Amino acid sequence: MREKFAASQIALHWLTFLLIVVAYSAIELRGFVQRGSWQGYALIITHFSAGATVLVLMLARLLLRIRHRTPEILPSAPRWQTGMAHLIHTLMYALFITLPVLGLTSRYLRGRDWWLFGVSMPVAREPRFDLSDTLTDWHETLAPLGYWLVGLHAVAALFHHYFLKDNTLLRMMPRPRRDQ
């Protein structure tokens, strides 16, 4: 049995984390720029683009999770910790798939121009403002849960590493480069 996750899983984990930071930062920074300014549009496009990429990466991560076995935690964790880890991971996957789906669908249904990576995206011929607003409300209501889940995930990893002294965190760290 491997002692680390597959390199592809590690790369996608950290890339997903980085893009989640970008998506959340872009939307938080939007409040500091003038509404309707080019900086505001740039932040929105960045938020949408990072979110859409998170969706793709989370789906790819699910496929890799099915393909590769999870490396064992050594020394073994109690069952309640394993259960909590599964619960938190499930909630994180669900949230970071659901948020982009809600956000992107709401933009489509709004019927107004919107962009991903600077490319104009299709819009509904007949806008559905009520449904778009509902999806946006759900997106904005669920989004703060991401701060808590990511924070809890990070604290748990550090707790395992520094206090329980197991390999939980090390399993997801990139391999050190070997200089030639």
Side-chain angles (χ1 to χ4, degrees), residues 4-172:
K4 293 178 86 70
F5 284 93
S8 56
Q9 290 175 292
I10 294 170
L12 289 182
H13 173 273
W14 293 107
L15 183 57
T16 302
F17 169 71
L18 179 64
L19 286 166
I20 288 170
V21 169
V22 168
Y24 275 86
S25 297
I27 209 63
E28 294 293 345
L29 291 171
R30 190 179 70 155
F32 294 103
V33 299
Q34 184 178 356
R35 189 174 178 90
S37 68
W38 71 268
Q39 295 97 336
Y41 287 120
L43 288 171
I44 288 296
I45 291 170
T46 300
H47 177 74
F48 292 165
S49 300
T53 307
V54 166
L55 173 62
V56 171
L57 293 179
M58 291 303 288
L59 295 173
R61 290 180 64 189
L62 273 177
L63 291 174
L64 287 174
R65 215 171 157 100
I66 292 167
R67 184 172 179 211
H68 298 287
R69 288 184 51 113
T70 300
E72 189 176 358
I73 296 174
L74 297 173
S76 295
R79 287 178 61 129
W80 71 269
Q81 285 180 5
T82 302
M84 288 298 292
H86 289 306
L87 174 64
I88 297 302
H89 281 106
T90 300
L91 290 173
M92 287 176 69
Y93 274 88
L95 182 68
F96 292 123
I97 289 171
T98 301
L99 284 176
V101 167
L102 290 171
L104 297 172
T105 304
S106 72
R107 294 300 96 196
Y108 172 80
L109 293 173
R110 177 103 6 240
R112 288 192 296 205
D113 292 338
W114 64 289
W115 301 267
L116 288 179
F117 305 102
V119 176
S120 182
M121 291 289 107
V123 297
R125 257 182 235 194
E126 295 188 28
R128 305 259 324 263
F129 295 113
D130 288 345
L131 181 54
S132 175
D133 289 344
T134 299
L135 295 177
T136 299
D137 288 346
W138 275 102
H139 180 83
E140 292 173 355
T141 299
L142 291 173
L145 183 58
Y147 291 117
W148 292 98
L149 290 174
V150 170
L152 183 59
H153 179 67
V155 166
L158 293 171
F159 178 77
H160 274 268
H161 186 73
Y162 289 108
F163 293 98
L164 300 180
K165 304 208 183 288
D166 62 23
N167 68 337
T168 297
L169 179 63
L170 297 176
R171 298 176 312 153
M172 192 50 82

